[in-house]
Amino acid sequence: MHEQVYGPQDPSTPSAPAAYLATVESRLTADGCATRWEDWAGVPVLVGRRSDFRLRWMATKLYLFTVAAAVPEITVPVIEGFTEQVTKYAKATKGGLPVGLQNGVGAFPVLVSDRVDPAAVRWAEERQRVRFACMTRPVVVDSSRPYVGMYSGKPALGRVYAAYFIEKGSRYFYGP
């Protein structure tokens, strides 16, 4: 999503990543997500969680996790590693039936920084990552521009959930 930004902020403000995370937290809460802050190896991480059931999803329940953190710099290895960590976390903490038995996991791994490698943005925007009954859409936020990069397409695998991911991504990460 090349031309979308998350709203006006002074890019010289040192707290732009923290302000963005506070905005995401309020948007998650307003949308009915349970939110909390966790410590992941000394890094404060915002975790938002909700579940939704739809008949049009072949009568499945989707557990959606939004996990966001501010980091000093975002590179491809950093967002790849964080995406992997969030995927494992979501699958391990969702509860209920095992993944794939009329339920699935969706996740938005979100990293925010004022130092972002353009390759990391391209990596996040190129595609949704899919594993068995688990879909992730990494989000890279450059707080110096401001700019949000994430995949907004309709992939072959998990296509039935695409409109849901697009709507939630727009609601949580973009806007005034």
Side-chain angles (χ1 to χ4, degrees):
M1 303 189 98
H2 294 285
E3 298 305 320
Q4 295 189 8
V5 297
Y6 59 81
Q9 287 192 9
D10 180 357
S12 65
T13 304
S15 63
Y20 182 78
L21 291 176
T23 299
V24 169
E25 182 177 24
S26 68
R27 289 176 181 167
L28 290 169
T29 302
D31 194 41
C33 296
T35 60
R36 68 178 179 270
W37 286 89
E38 296 184 6
D39 183 313
W40 286 20
V43 176
V45 175
L46 170 64
V47 177
R49 175 190 173 130
R50 67 175 294 130
S51 63
D52 293 287
F53 174 84
R54 303 277 194 283
L55 287 174
R56 68 177 175 263
W57 294 343
M58 298 170 282
T60 60
K61 181 181 236 182
L62 181 68
Y63 294 87
L64 180 63
F65 288 81
T66 301
V67 183
V71 294
E73 181 177 18
I74 304 172
T75 61
V76 172
V78 169
I79 189 62
E80 277 181 324
F82 188 68
T83 298
E84 181 67 25
Q85 189 176 9
V86 169
T87 302
K88 288 178 182 175
Y89 173 86
K91 287 175 83 171
T93 61
K94 75 159 199 59
L97 293 171
V99 172
L101 297 176
Q102 290 308 109
N103 68 78
V105 172
F108 288 116
V110 183
L111 289 180
V112 184
S113 180
D114 58 3
R115 291 180 43 212
V116 177
D117 180 349
V121 174
R122 287 191 301 276
W123 185 86
E125 292 175 337
E126 75 182 355
R127 65 182 170 88
Q128 173 174 280
R129 276 60 186 177
V130 179
R131 292 195 181 159
F132 177 72
C134 187
M135 299 150 286
T136 58
R137 290 194 180 205
V139 181
V140 172
V141 180
D142 184 342
S143 57
S144 71
R145 294 198 295 175
Y147 181 84
V148 175
M150 68 176 281
Y151 177 72
S152 62
K154 294 181 179 179
L157 289 174
R159 186 176 192 85
V160 70
Y161 303 102
Y164 178 81
F165 279 109
I166 292 167
E167 186 264 326
K168 295 301 182 190
S170 294
R171 178 176 292 182
Y172 299 161
F173 311 120
Y174 301 102

